[in-house]
Amino acid sequence: MIQAKKLSKKYGNLQVLNNVDLSVKAKEIVAITGPSGAGKTTLLNILGTLDTADDQPNTALQIDGVDLFSLKGKALARFRNQQLGFVFQSHQLLPEFSAIENVCIPAMIAKTPMKKAQKEGMELLSFLGLSNRADHKPAMLSGGEQQRVAVARALINKPKLLLADEPSGNLDSKTAAQLHELFLSLRDNFDQTIVLVTHNKELAALGDRSLQLVDGQWS
Ligand code: ADP
């Protein structure tokens, strides 16, 4: 699913990533751990095309067979919208929209007909145990519920790859454990490939593999 070769990133004189390789198979759950400042978010953002690796010889990034460095502009935005799902530490739901409306936003961007998007959005909310919260705005939902809405939003376009950055970072331990179970069930129910950055040892251990990044390199 992911074939990344020699990803490097420098901010000024700071070498944040240093020739990082990463291979992830379809339906694999890979956890990236490591100390703060190790480059985890930078790596995840590059995998998610939210940031770019430094242009240097032999650098390559393929996701599901697509060479991401060859995609630009609208084609890249389309790939991101349709093939990648994102869950961040802070849910980043739009406060003025209801749960179901938030879930449907990526589908609207993908020009999915409204009725189809709403039907699929409701199915996802129901799978996540939130069917009776669909019309609530984010401020009326608990932290765990908000994060599950964010997961539904990440999944609405049936992305090949789900990228999560500290998804349970703002949750209490019981709610975090529930979210972690949810990630496992996404793989089992939707054949989802998941790469997640986490400080949470239990979440890292739940995955198939846990990799540690230190000073921009695997340790
Ligand atoms: P982690 O996720 O492991 O905590 P990050 O990838 O967020 O690490 O950051 C790695 C290092 O890169 C940090 O020292 C951070 O300050 C620096 N950094 C991240 N983004 C930028 C940026 N846009 N400009 C300058 N420095 C950055």
Side-chain angles (χ1 to χ4, degrees):
M1 171 64 58
I2 301 178
Q3 291 288 342
K5 293 248 161 62
K6 293 194 180 299
L7 299 180
S8 291
K9 185 80 184 178
K10 226 174 169 176
Y11 290 113
N13 287 330
L14 185 66
Q15 187 81 45
V16 176
L17 288 180
N18 192 356
N19 287 321
V20 171
D21 294 343
L22 177 66
S23 291
V24 177
K25 288 186 240 155
K27 299 186 219 174
E28 214 181 355
I29 300 180
V30 174
I32 299 173
T33 65
S36 191
K40 304 182 296 295
T41 294
T42 303
L43 175 59
L44 203 74
N45 286 347
I46 291 173
L47 297 177
T49 75
L50 300 172
D51 200 350
T52 50
D54 291 339
D55 191 6
Q56 56 170 25
N58 303 322
T59 294
L61 177 58
Q62 282 195 354
I63 294 185
D64 200 34
V66 176
D67 172 12
L68 291 192
F69 293 158
S70 71
L71 291 183
K72 302 268 179 303
K74 277 188 181 168
L76 184 60
R78 196 178 312 122
F79 181 88
R80 192 186 299 133
N81 173 245
Q82 298 183 354
Q83 308 293 353
L84 305 177
F86 297 92
V87 180
F88 302 98
Q89 176 168 6
S90 152
H91 53 77
Q92 300 188 339
L93 299 173
L94 297 178
E96 66 272 32
F97 291 108
S98 68
I100 183 66
E101 287 166 344
N102 268 284
V103 170
C104 287
I105 288 169
M108 299 288 102
I109 292 170
K111 300 197 166 55
T112 306
M114 176 77 99
K115 271 201 167 157
K116 183 169 187 277
Q118 283 193 329
K119 180 170 172 286
E120 292 174 357
M122 283 307 297
E123 283 167 8
L124 275 170
L125 286 178
S126 159
F127 176 79
L128 300 175
L130 291 170
S131 34
N132 59 353
R133 296 284 186 276
D135 296 323
H136 292 204
K137 292 195 173 155
M140 295 162 71
L141 302 172
S142 71
E145 288 169 341
Q146 290 171 349
Q147 203 53 320
R148 278 182 283 152
V149 173
V151 170
R153 178 185 55 185
L155 294 175
I156 187 76
N157 288 343
K158 304 186 178 68
K160 296 263 163 54
L161 177 63
L162 183 66
L163 299 167
D165 194 351
E166 295 283 4
S168 54
N170 283 340
L171 302 178
D172 64 74
S173 57
K174 182 164 168 251
T175 314
Q178 288 167 350
L179 187 76
H180 300 167
E181 288 299 321
L182 172 63
F183 279 110
L184 285 183
S185 75
L186 294 180
R187 187 257 300 277
D188 296 341
N189 287 280
F190 300 111
D191 290 341
Q192 198 67 63
T193 308
I194 303 175
V195 176
L196 49 89
V197 163
T198 186
H199 278 110
N200 187 305
K201 289 198 172 63
E202 284 143 38
L203 177 54
L206 278 182
D208 303 307
R209 263 194 300 154
S210 165
L211 303 169
Q212 204 191 15
L213 203 57
V214 177
D215 290 338
Q217 292 181 304
W218 300 126
S219 75

